[in-house]
Amino acid sequence: MGKLSIVATPIGNLEDTTLRALRTLKECDVIYTEDTRVTSKLLAKYELRKSVFRLDTVTEAKKTDEIIARLEAGEHVALVSDAGTPGISDPGARLVAAVRARLSDARIEAIPGASALTAALSIAGVDAGEFTFLGFLPHKKGRQTVLKKLAKSEIPVVLYESPHRIIKLLTELSHLGEQRNVVIARELTKIHEEVVAGTVAEVQVHFAEHPDAVRGEFVVIVTH
Ligand code: SAM
């Protein structure tokens, strides 16, 4: 029976690849990834030559059957995503659940490493002994319900947000009724890494004064 390695990859800085991730990507028979072009850059940096196949949210179910056949044949399969830890707002969970259910003998191992969630919390200065992670908020249906839930939260709430919606999210947070503080971690591990913290209103002013900062990737932490 084969082995499935769930491998975390960097969230921007390719040096954040663990030694174990490198060894796993070198030793495995095949790599499945969300975007073969993104993973090719990582493999090129470390001079790894390996067959890479696509597994994204659309193809996860179909590729799961393929991976199960490989594991049955004794292969070592590695799963990576575009960035960070697979399964955290990324494909992976359905594959892992299916392998666990259908191949009880297969080994599933975690190769931990970067995640925007933990990287942001580590420099937020927020007590993260307890927090709620909501990932990406729904764009339309259910968004208001989630925002209302967020407004009532007694513990920090962590969100992922795209540059297209970050200003909209801050506006929505400013309408919650209760004053909230936010920590926004942008472009973590990259050249333009930045953390902006303050009341929602203060952070809105920051982005109004620095429109260039409305770019890149964002983690938003909402606190009391
Ligand atoms: N699996 C990934 C992880 O473990 O962090 C998350 C994947 S999710 C599709 C991508 C989102 O994560 C981005 O839209 C952004 O909200 C956040 N993200 C990823 N890289 C980031 C970075 N370098 N800085 C800030 N946020 C980042």
Side-chain angles (χ1 to χ4, degrees):
M1 187 55 73
K3 179 164 77 172
L4 174 64
S5 302
I6 306 297
V7 184
T9 56
I11 55 168
N13 187 329
L14 293 186
E15 287 183 16
D16 295 332
T17 313
T18 68
L19 295 175
R20 210 166 147 232
L22 282 181
R23 183 167 59 75
T24 303
L25 296 177
K26 190 171 173 192
E27 288 176 359
C28 69
D29 293 300
V30 62
I31 301 171
Y32 280 79
T33 176
E34 264 189 295
D35 188 332
T36 53
R37 287 161 305 179
V38 174
T39 303
S40 297
K41 284 186 198 150
L42 180 70
L43 297 182
K45 175 165 171 80
Y46 293 105
E47 296 173 357
L48 300 173
R49 273 169 215 90
K50 196 64 61 175
S51 302
V52 181
F53 296 98
R54 196 177 179 103
L55 182 153
D56 53 25
T57 24
V58 179
T59 57
E60 188 166 359
K62 199 173 127 213
K63 294 297 170 81
T64 291
D65 291 339
E66 195 177 298
I67 290 171
I68 285 181
R70 286 184 184 277
L71 295 171
E72 280 173 326
E75 286 191 31
H76 178 188
V77 177
L79 176 76
V80 302
S81 61
D82 279 359
T85 303
I88 310 294
S89 296
D90 264 344
R94 278 186 290 165
L95 170 68
V96 169
V99 171
R100 204 178 294 296
R102 287 161 60 186
L103 295 182
S104 52
D105 291 350
R107 186 158 162 225
I108 305 172
E109 69 173 9
I111 311 291
S115 176
L117 166 67
T118 46
L121 283 170
S122 75
I123 54 168
V126 164
D127 181 357
E130 267 190 292
F131 64 88
T132 304
F133 175 58
L134 296 179
F136 292 102
L137 292 185
H139 295 171
K140 293 197 178 93
K141 201 167 169 278
R143 188 172 175 96
Q144 287 310 316
T145 315
V146 178
L147 283 165
K148 278 188 197 131
K149 207 165 83 183
L150 188 156
K152 292 202 187 85
S153 179
E154 299 284 325
I155 58 176
V157 178
V158 187
L159 309 170
Y160 284 164
E161 193 50 278
S162 76
H164 316 290
R165 287 192 200 84
I166 190 78
I167 299 298
K168 178 179 176 226
L169 176 67
L170 287 170
T171 309
E172 289 168 328
L173 292 176
S174 73
H175 293 154
L176 285 182
E178 289 186 48
Q179 167 132 326
R180 292 278 142 172
N181 293 314
V182 282
V183 180
I184 300 201
R186 178 173 87 90
E187 293 287 87
L188 290 162
T189 77
K190 304 185 205 175
I191 297 169
H192 298 292
E193 175 173 313
E194 174 183 50
V195 174
V196 185
T199 63
V200 172
E202 284 165 350
V203 172
Q204 281 178 305
V205 169
H206 173 87
F207 283 110
E209 287 175 352
H210 302 89
D212 273 6
V214 189
R215 270 194 208 145
E217 303 196 273
F218 295 86
V219 180
V220 179
I221 303 170
V222 185
T223 63
H224 273 291

